[in-house]
């Protein structure tokens, strides 16, 4: 097993890493959350914020890994930092001369797939990586690679804000300066958290609100007590699209349908991706007949706007009833959707 090379700027890189005073510190939810999101978007059982020290790799945050650190010699991330501008992807470690004999491949935790986006500081130093791993050979879709890159920038920004916050605490004797700087960086951290919250509630592929965002919106609508309708929309014969044309074509269809739903709804209510090939539309202050007409218009728009390949949607529609829970409403809409598909598809059924 070849040992990973060290960057040409290793001395300066280590100085930058130690300046952050983060090694061997306790867990912080802000880092844990970013690892959880990265693993979820990429569909991986393992993930970490890894920092590469002189002779070891230390995990500031991790999921699916038991150890808090490893030797640098066995660290995939020690290879990832050699190119700070690229996501390093190892599709199958057993087919890679660098890793096939690596004990973390041949033994626990049994890594076969690895993707690591370098964590680069403001001076361009690669301190470590945000990485995801699997026990099976894999690859990342382009949107997953882009999301991992985006999240690695979030981690790097969080590291810098943490470093600056620590430095500011050392300036307590200059209170006016300290308060001004702390306020500025607090605002920046709030913006970072706002971006993070947006990612948590957005579907990575379609950029529509996801199931979590829909659940929050439904709970709020029920609490307000105003009338509304919920439509569940399912792409007809979507499995055939995937089986015949492949998952990349299936993703194109999902994005295409999402764009039509977004444009046709014109900001009225909340259109979200509920999961798989299923979408949802919350229509506020709409009675059942008005909602049905709008759903018919939406159904026709999807049928006529198909570009990648012709697709249709089936729609199940339900109106909020007194004392409804989210589960009650979803159940009625789901039964109506089943009736639409059972009745021949490409239609709207009210439940």
């Amino acid at each position: 097993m070849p040992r990973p090379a060290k960057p040409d700027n290793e001395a300066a890189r280590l100085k930058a890493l130690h300046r952050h005073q983060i090694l061997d510190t306790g867990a912080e939810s802000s880092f844990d959350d970013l690892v959880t999101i990265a693993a979820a978007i990429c569909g991986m059982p393992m993930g970490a914020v890894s920092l590469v020290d002189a002779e070891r790799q230390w995990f500031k945050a991790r999921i699916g890994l038991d150890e808090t650190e490893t030797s640098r010699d066995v660290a995939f991330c020690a290879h990832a930092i050699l190119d700070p501008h690229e996501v390093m992807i190892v599709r199958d470690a057993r087919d890679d001369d660098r890793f096939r004999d690596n004990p973390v491949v041949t033994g626990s935790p049994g890594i076969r797939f690895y993707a690591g986006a370098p964590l680069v500081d403001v001076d361009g130093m690669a301190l470590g990586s945000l990485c995801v791993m699997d026990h099976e050979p894999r690859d990342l879709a382009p949107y997953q690679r882009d999301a991992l890159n985006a999240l690695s920038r979030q981690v790097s920004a969080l590291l810098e804000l943490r470093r600056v916050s620590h430095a500011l605490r050392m300036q307590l004797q200059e209170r006016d300066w300290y308060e001004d700087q702390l306020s500025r960086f607090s605002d920046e951290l709030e913006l970072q958290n706002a971006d993070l919250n947006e990612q948590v509630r957005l579907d990575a592929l379609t950029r529509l609100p996801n199931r979590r965002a829909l659940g929050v919106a439904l709970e709020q609508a029920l609490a307000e007590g105003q009338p509304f309708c919920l439509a569940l929309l399912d792409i007809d014969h979507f499995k055939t699209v995937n089986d015949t044309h492949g998952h990349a074509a299936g993703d194109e269809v999902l994005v295409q349908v999402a764009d039509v739903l977004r444009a046709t709804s014109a900001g009225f209510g909340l259109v979200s991706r509920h999961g798989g090939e299923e979408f949802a539309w919350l229509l506020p202050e709409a009675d059942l007949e008005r909602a049905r007409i709008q759903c018919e218009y939406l159904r026709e728009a999807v049928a006529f706007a198909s570009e990648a390949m012709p697709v249709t949607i089936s729609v199940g529609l339900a109106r909020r009833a007194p004392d409804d829970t989210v589960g009650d409403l979803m159940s009625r809409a789901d039964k109506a959707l089943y009736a639409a598909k059972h009745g021949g598809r490409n239609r709207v059924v009210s439940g």
Side-chain angles (χ1 to χ4, degrees), residues 29-39 130 151 154-155 158 196:
S29 60
S30 51
F31 291 94
D32 294 338
D33 290 346
L34 289 167
V35 173
T36 299
I37 293 168
L130 173 65
L151 289 170
Q154 294 270 6
V155 175
L158 193 59
L196 181 58

Side-chain angles (χ1 to χ4, degrees), residues 36-167:
T36 299
I37 293 168
I41 290 175
C42 296
M44 302 287 171
M46 297 176 283
V49 169
S50 165
L51 300 170
V52 181
D53 200 1
E55 299 298 336
R56 61 172 178 157
Q57 164 185 241
W58 180 77
F59 302 127
K60 175 59 180 175
R62 67 193 192 281
I63 183 172
L65 298 170
D66 294 329
E67 303 296 330
T68 59
E69 64 179 64
T70 73
S71 164
R72 181 169 176 169
D73 288 350
V74 304
F76 283 57
C77 295
H79 294 268
I81 64 172
L82 297 177
D83 189 346
H85 307 295
E86 292 290 333
V87 175
M88 188 181 92
I89 293 182
V90 180
R91 293 172 179 82
D92 188 345
R94 292 186 181 176
D95 289 338
D96 192 307
D97 291 338
R98 296 170 296 176
F99 306 111
R100 60 165 50 98
D101 297 324
N102 193 311
V104 301
V105 175
T106 59
S108 179
I111 296 171
R112 293 290 296 277
F113 173 84
Y114 169 92
L119 304 175
V120 181
D121 75 0
V122 294
D123 297 318
M125 302 291 178
L127 309 181
S129 77
L130 173 65
C131 58
V132 292
M133 295 146 286
D134 203 346
H135 304 292
E136 301 295 335
R138 290 282 300 275
D139 203 353
L140 291 184
Y143 78 87
Q144 292 172 316
R145 186 188 299 229
D146 291 343
L148 189 64
N149 245 332
L151 289 170
S152 74
R153 291 192 293 270
Q154 294 270 6
V155 175
S156 297
L158 193 59
L159 285 169
E160 179 64 12
L161 289 171
R162 187 184 183 281
R163 183 192 69 79
V164 171
S165 294
H166 178 78

Side-chain angles (χ1 to χ4, degrees), residues 171-209:
Q171 302 293 330
L172 281 171
Q173 294 177 351
E174 301 177 22
R175 189 173 184 83
D176 291 342
W177 179 89
Y178 169 79
E179 290 181 348
D180 177 68
Q181 294 293 310
L182 185 59
S183 175
R184 181 165 64 88
F185 280 101
S186 177
D187 291 342
E188 291 183 16
L189 185 57
E190 187 173 335
L191 288 174
Q192 294 286 339
N193 288 336
D195 289 343
L196 181 58
N197 285 332
E198 182 180 358
Q199 291 193 43
V200 169
R201 295 190 181 185
L202 279 183
D203 174 62
L205 176 62
T206 64
R207 306 308 294 169
L208 286 176

Side-chain angles (χ1 to χ4, degrees), residues 6 10 13-14 17-18 23 52-56 72:
K6 293 188 176 181
E10 178 66 358
R13 190 194 69 81
L14 287 174
L17 173 63
H18 295 158
L23 296 174
V52 181
D53 200 1
E55 299 298 336
R56 61 172 178 157
R72 181 169 176 169

